[in-house]
Amino acid sequence: MLKLTLFTIFSAIFCAETCYGLDIKKCKEEDIKCVTANSQALYDLTIKGDPNLEIEPADPIYHNSIDGNLSIIKYTLTNTSITGYKKCKLNYAQLSLAKSFLEFNLLCPEIQVHGLYEIDGRLIVLPVQGKGDFKLDARRYNITIHAEIKTVNGNDGKSYLAVKNFNINADIIDGIDFDLTNLFNGQKELAEPVLQFARENWKEVAKELQGPILNIAIKRLIKNLNKLLKTVPVDQMLISN
Ligand SMILES: *[C@@H]1O[C@H](CO)[C@@H](O)[C@H](O)[C@H]1NC(C)=O
Ligand SMILES: *[C@@H]1O[C@H](CO)[C@@H](O)[C@H](O)[C@H]1NC(C)=O
Ligand SMILES: *[C@@H]1O[C@H](CO)[C@@H](O)[C@H](O)[C@H]1NC(C)=O
């Protein structure tokens, strides 16, 4: 209780109308433990959202149309919900202002995606085609985000961080369940081998198909994060070298 009160006073003094109860400490860039703890605090609020900052919650993430326009297979997902990002643990974060570089790693126990799908093309070796409901359930998603950051000057003359762009490296560790109804218009003798192939080769199949879905989700997280970063001046997060 005392700790909470002190923290509230501390936040009130040092964060003025910003920070929104974020437990942010000043870190040296090299202090990965400290930077990671700050990043976890930012991540949690990024997912939880904050109406005062016009940050929408990011679990679930709803998206009306995700296009997977890949070389040998095309898919469109509509009415899609992505859930599970609030359970991810931020394992580490590293940054360098001089190199405009931020990297962080998330380990997500379970990411689920469901909605309506339409697919046409070749799933690695097998032709696949269909349209219906789908549900994907990925267990232990290891997601690393490499981002380019910049500092921008706020109206208050202070400098703030922003993520300019990013790329994603991701692997599923424990497997994925594919549930696609109505493959090949419900022709089971055609659908079953494809589902079996996907089950047996889940790692490759996920690698092939995950990009557009991950991209939508991480884009959303970064959009939230950038809104949040506008409220925390760099000098409250980092001790300049
Ligand atoms: C998909 O990719 C093909 C060729 O790569 C392109 O011609 C087509 O316009 C793309 N479709 C969409 C919806 O982006
Ligand atoms: C869209 O998704 C919601 C919830 O996930 C579901 O209730 C609704 O029926 C879906 N709409 C269509 C057209 O399938
Ligand atoms: C997650 O991926 C990173 C980078 O590819 C790797 O260093 C790390 O060991 C992986 N974590 C797990 C739990 O597999």
Side-chain angles (χ1 to χ4, degrees), residues 67 69-71 74:
D67 277 316
N69 194 10
L70 313 172
S71 58
K74 302 199 185 318

Side-chain angles (χ1 to χ4, degrees), residues 62 79 81 114-116 133:
Y62 177 81
N79 198 24
S81 295
H114 66 89
L116 300 169
D133 293 319

Side-chain angles (χ1 to χ4, degrees), residues 84-85 87-89 91 105-112 137-143 170-177 202-203 206 210 214:
Y85 278 94
K87 290 191 205 136
C88 305
K89 181 176 183 313
N91 275 323
N105 173 262
L106 298 170
L107 196 60
C108 306
E110 188 174 35
I111 301 287
Q112 292 184 332
D137 191 347
R139 292 177 303 277
R140 288 181 81 210
Y141 227 132
N142 182 8
I143 304 171
D171 271 307
I172 296 166
I173 299 170
D174 281 352
I176 178 166
D177 294 331
W202 57 268
K203 209 158 206 151
Q210 69 183 354
L214 272 172

Side-chain angles (χ1 to χ4, degrees), residues 3-230:
K3 213 171 157 191
L4 192 72
T5 314
L6 284 176
F7 174 67
T8 312
I9 295 166
F10 179 88
S11 311
I13 295 168
F14 290 95
C15 295
E17 279 163 29
T18 61
C19 291
Y20 292 89
L22 275 167
D23 187 6
I24 296 284
K25 294 176 191 67
K26 289 188 187 179
C27 306
K28 287 190 171 160
E29 268 185 12
E30 313 77 64
D31 187 346
I32 291 179
K33 217 174 147 189
C34 182
V35 171
T36 299
N38 276 355
S39 303
Q40 180 79 57
L42 288 165
Y43 179 79
D44 291 343
L45 196 52
T46 283
I47 302 296
K48 197 173 154 218
D50 186 326
N52 295 320
L53 298 174
E54 291 175 15
I55 299 176
E56 283 177 46
D59 194 356
I61 293 167
Y62 177 81
H63 210 270
N64 195 37
S65 182
I66 301 176
D67 277 316
N69 194 10
L70 313 172
S71 58
I72 57 166
I73 191 164
K74 302 199 185 318
Y75 65 82
T76 303
L77 310 178
T78 48
N79 198 24
T80 302
S81 295
I82 306 171
T83 57
Y85 278 94
K86 71 173 162 235
K87 290 191 205 136
C88 305
K89 181 176 183 313
L90 200 138
N91 275 323
Y92 70 83
Q94 263 181 293
L95 89 170
S96 160
L97 285 186
K99 292 181 184 151
S100 305
F101 155 87
L102 166 71
E103 180 181 301
F104 59 97
N105 173 262
L106 298 170
L107 196 60
C108 306
E110 188 174 35
I111 301 287
Q112 292 184 332
V113 189
H114 66 89
L116 300 169
Y117 79 95
E118 206 171 331
I119 197 164
D120 194 6
R122 275 186 104 71
L123 188 60
I124 306 173
V125 294
L126 289 181
V128 59
Q129 185 261 316
K131 183 178 175 171
D133 293 319
F134 80 97
K135 191 169 166 212
L136 307 173
D137 191 347
R139 292 177 303 277
R140 288 181 81 210
Y141 227 132
N142 182 8
I143 304 171
T144 305
I145 294 150
H146 312 265
E148 188 190 345
I149 50 173
K150 60 176 179 179
T151 52
V152 289
N153 288 322
N155 294 333
D156 56 3
K158 291 189 178 232
S159 118
Y160 294 82
L161 285 183
V163 174
K164 276 174 76 177
N165 48 54
F166 62 86
N167 61 60
I168 308 165
N169 259 317
D171 271 307
I172 296 166
I173 299 170
D174 281 352
I176 178 166
D177 294 331
F178 300 89
D179 184 1
L180 302 168
T181 64
N182 204 42
L183 272 177
F184 296 102
N185 221 350
Q187 298 176 72
K188 286 216 160 44
E189 66 286 5
L190 292 174
E192 199 40 51
V194 170
L195 288 171
Q196 179 154 356
F197 176 83
R199 271 180 234 123
E200 282 166 6
N201 300 278
W202 57 268
K203 209 158 206 151
E204 266 177 286
V205 170
K207 272 263 179 245
E208 176 100 1
L209 301 180
Q210 69 183 354
I213 307 169
L214 272 172
N215 211 38
I216 290 284
I218 304 302
K219 231 185 206 162
R220 176 63 183 285
L221 301 191
I222 297 292
K223 184 180 162 199
N224 281 6
L225 177 63
N226 276 338
K227 286 185 180 175
L228 195 52
L229 287 172
K230 282 186 185 157

